[in-house]
Amino acid sequence: MAEQDLSSKVDDLKVTENAAEAVNDDDDDQVVDPWNVVTKSDKGVDYDKLIKRFGSTKIDQALLDRFEKVTGKPPHHLLKRGIFFSQRDMHQILNRYEAKKPFFLYTGRGPSSGSMHMGHLIPFMFTKWLQEIFDVPLVIQLTDDEKFLWKDLKAEQALKLSYENAKDIIALGFDKDKTFIFSDMEYIGSCPAFYRNMIKVQKCVTFNQVKGIFGFGDSDCIGKISFPSIQASPSFSNSFPHIFGDRKDIPCLIPCAIDQDPYFRMTRDVAPRLGYPKPALLHSTFFPALQGAQTKMSASDANSSIFLTDTPKQVKTKINKYAFSGGGTSVEEHREKGGNCDIDIAYQYLTFFLEDDERLQQIREEYSSGKMLTGELKKELIGILQKLVADHQEKRKTVTDELLKEFMTPRKLKWGGKDS
Ligand code: TYM
């Protein structure tokens, strides 16, 4: 998207019904909410500004050190590199882990397309790692109801997308004994305790408040207006009686990109009024669109995204054709001035997926000095992503309908080596 277009998109979003007023009002340069991520800066979203506005806390070295001390494991590269950059109440979760008190993980996906993209992998890969480190139950919400309400999708289609996306999620290697994946359309009707929590949340939040938080307008359907109560409810342990019985005192930790934070600010506000603990959060930055860091990779823009269903050829073509380059306009200029890693999309993608710190640093130095050319940098990325996508496709083939059903059946889960 040209710079001009992006500027006007930022301005347009600020006056549309869906632009979250309270989230974006005093910012001239960026819009970040659950539906839109757009900034005028080619370096991407200003995350320090977001932390200030959202009122979360930056993940600092002290937290990383404590994480390592308490868990005995070095922090994941997504934490070390500041890709997970913001948190709420993470120290409280570590306190519980130290005291051997229970907590659980909660994350989710809005199934808007049959295939997930590379950006969606970030919270799920990280969640899998957290599950391994902490050995706790995990619940994954598939908000097919949300996508039915927001998109031009039939209810049955949205449910089908839930199953497709669940297969992608299972293929990432989550532990079946510790993971419950649920479709809102299926689970909520079968679980009175979940519904009770939904209406409790609904009673605590006024239309005026959701307008402020999410920017809903008078012409939005009432399904959208009550939807935040549905995304809030899995934060409470008694929404899952098959896992936690009627215990309502077990807090959760939610890993997600920061676009989902408005839901959980609302949840944290109502939790104490309902006698529940507030959910803790770990927020990530956005995996950028191929065209540049002014927008996030989004399933609704196929050209901005590399999907988990892409062929090796598609991965190669998309990166070569669309990945915005921070290199010089000619080889001579590049050799002389070097490339700019801060805006180069291929380099940015490597920070998410190349785990080898030394190699990443070497690439940074060689590209910045002009020794490495854009084509060489892209080639390195293409190799990594082609392998990742092809490996994923192989694993997904092993996810049968039976396995899917097992993950999606309400049942006891194991944690700390025991049944719940
Ligand atoms: P959805 O489907 O938009 O996104 C699923 C998860 O992926 C994150 N995400 C990204 N992360 C990095 N870079 C990107 N480009 C990118 N795009 C999306 C999202 O932040 C999210 O963590 N309403 C939610 C579904 C949901 C949920 C939750 C998400 C229900 N409960 C609890 C997180 C936590 C949705 O539509 O997500």
Side-chain angles (χ1 to χ4, degrees):
M1 209 180 303
E3 201 184 317
Q4 185 71 44
D5 295 346
L6 275 166
S7 290
S8 58
K9 188 152 188 227
V10 174
D11 296 335
D12 287 349
L13 284 170
K14 283 204 241 140
V15 291
T16 60
E17 288 182 331
N18 269 348
E21 251 179 315
V23 177
N24 298 304
D25 56 359
D26 59 347
D27 198 313
D28 292 333
D29 300 322
Q30 57 185 24
V31 172
V32 175
D33 64 37
W35 304 281
N36 309 291
V37 175
V38 192
T39 166
K40 290 178 183 173
S41 162
D42 56 7
K43 289 195 179 133
V45 173
D46 181 336
Y47 289 105
D48 285 336
K49 239 180 183 178
L50 267 194
I51 284 183
K52 232 167 143 193
R53 179 153 346 109
F54 285 9
S56 60
T57 306
K58 195 167 179 148
I59 294 178
D60 56 11
Q61 192 54 44
L63 179 62
L64 296 186
D65 292 344
R66 177 150 190 246
F67 194 99
E68 181 154 7
K69 189 165 163 253
V70 168
T71 66
K73 301 277 185 325
H76 194 277
H77 73 273
L78 293 172
L79 262 178
K80 255 187 340 200
R81 293 183 188 163
I83 290 171
F84 274 83
F85 71 104
S86 154
Q87 56 101 3
R88 296 181 189 275
D89 286 346
M90 190 57 207
H91 280 288
Q92 250 104 304
I93 292 290
L94 291 177
N95 291 347
R96 287 187 77 89
Y97 182 75
E98 266 186 320
K100 299 195 173 19
K101 287 190 181 157
F103 64 95
F104 65 104
L105 291 164
Y106 159 39
T107 194
R109 156 81 179 133
S112 56
S113 55
S115 170
M116 304 203 329
H117 60 59
M118 307 301 299
H120 296 132
L121 284 186
I122 305 307
F124 285 103
M125 280 169 28
F126 188 65
T127 302
K128 177 177 175 273
W129 179 78
L130 290 172
Q131 184 185 52
E132 284 164 9
I133 296 276
F134 290 130
D135 187 15
V136 289
L138 160 66
V139 296
I140 299 179
Q141 179 181 42
L142 300 171
T143 51
D144 37 22
D145 48 354
E146 176 192 12
K147 294 304 152 185
F148 167 68
L149 290 166
W150 261 268
K151 302 260 168 190
D152 184 20
L153 276 178
K154 295 205 171 79
E156 297 70 22
Q157 284 174 316
L159 179 60
K160 215 166 151 242
L161 294 180
S162 273
Y163 298 143
E164 292 303 316
N165 284 198
K167 284 188 170 179
D168 272 329
I169 293 168
I170 293 167
L172 296 175
F174 288 100
D175 185 337
K176 177 163 61 80
D177 293 337
K178 296 179 201 155
T179 308
F180 173 50
I181 304 180
F182 64 99
S183 133
D184 282 348
M185 282 194 210
E186 278 185 346
Y187 179 61
I188 295 172
S190 72
C191 183
F194 192 105
Y195 183 66
R196 274 198 297 278
N197 277 336
M198 273 171 53
I199 56 170
K200 284 181 190 176
V201 174
Q202 287 171 9
K203 199 170 177 178
C204 285
V205 186
T206 65
F207 180 39
N208 217 19
Q209 285 169 320
V210 284
K211 273 204 278 194
I213 302 169
F214 299 99
F216 296 140
D218 288 348
S219 55
D220 277 312
C221 72
I222 58 174
K224 288 187 183 178
I225 291 150
S226 62
F227 175 75
S229 68
I230 304 179
Q231 186 153 332
S233 294
S235 311
F236 309 132
S237 54
N238 60 358
S239 291
F240 303 99
H242 52 280
I243 309 173
F244 304 109
D246 57 6
R247 281 191 71 169
K248 57 176 193 173
D249 60 334
I250 305 180
C252 72
L253 169 62
I254 307 174
C256 59
I258 197 156
D259 58 337
Q260 300 299 311
D261 190 64
Y263 288 111
F264 301 118
R265 284 204 298 278
M266 185 199 82
T267 311
R268 286 169 58 84
D269 186 47
V270 301
R273 285 189 272 158
L274 301 178
Y276 297 151
K278 293 180 179 188
L281 285 117
L282 285 171
H283 298 120
S284 78
T285 59
F286 301 108
F287 191 73
L290 281 161
Q291 287 76 4
Q294 290 103 328
T295 54
K296 67 168 184 171
M297 183 169 276
S298 161
S300 33
D301 179 0
N303 284 337
S304 81
S305 301
I306 295 171
F307 291 97
L308 294 174
T309 43
D310 282 350
T311 61
K313 193 162 171 238
Q314 281 173 314
V315 172
K316 185 174 173 188
T317 310
K318 283 185 185 178
I319 292 170
N320 279 335
K321 194 165 167 192
Y322 298 120
F324 183 80
S325 167
T329 47
S330 63
V331 173
E332 294 70 36
E333 187 192 310
H334 186 82
R335 293 272 188 232
E336 193 196 328
K337 296 188 183 150
N340 182 352
C341 289
D342 294 342
I343 59 167
D344 191 283
I345 287 299
Y347 180 79
Q348 295 298 318
Y349 285 9
L350 286 176
T351 65
F352 286 81
F353 290 112
L354 174 59
E355 287 180 36
D356 182 339
D357 289 333
E358 271 178 39
R359 178 70 190 133
L360 187 68
Q361 182 56 24
Q362 189 187 13
I363 291 174
R364 187 177 183 97
E365 282 163 16
E366 291 186 2
Y367 192 62
S368 306
S369 72
K371 186 170 170 210
M372 179 181 257
L373 297 174
T374 297
E376 292 164 334
L377 174 65
K378 286 191 172 182
K379 194 165 168 225
E380 181 107 14
L381 175 70
I382 289 166
I384 290 173
L385 293 192
Q386 281 178 330
K387 179 166 182 336
L388 201 142
V389 171
D391 287 352
H392 178 81
Q393 290 170 1
E394 280 308 303
K395 286 192 208 122
R396 196 185 191 279
K397 280 188 203 152
T398 67
V399 181
T400 58
D401 289 343
E402 288 71 47
L403 186 60
L404 174 71
K405 202 163 169 208
E406 284 182 64
F407 268 94
M408 297 187 75
T409 300
R411 64 207 189 283
K412 281 183 185 299
L413 296 181
K414 282 207 165 81
W415 96 86
K418 295 189 229 92
D419 279 344
S420 59

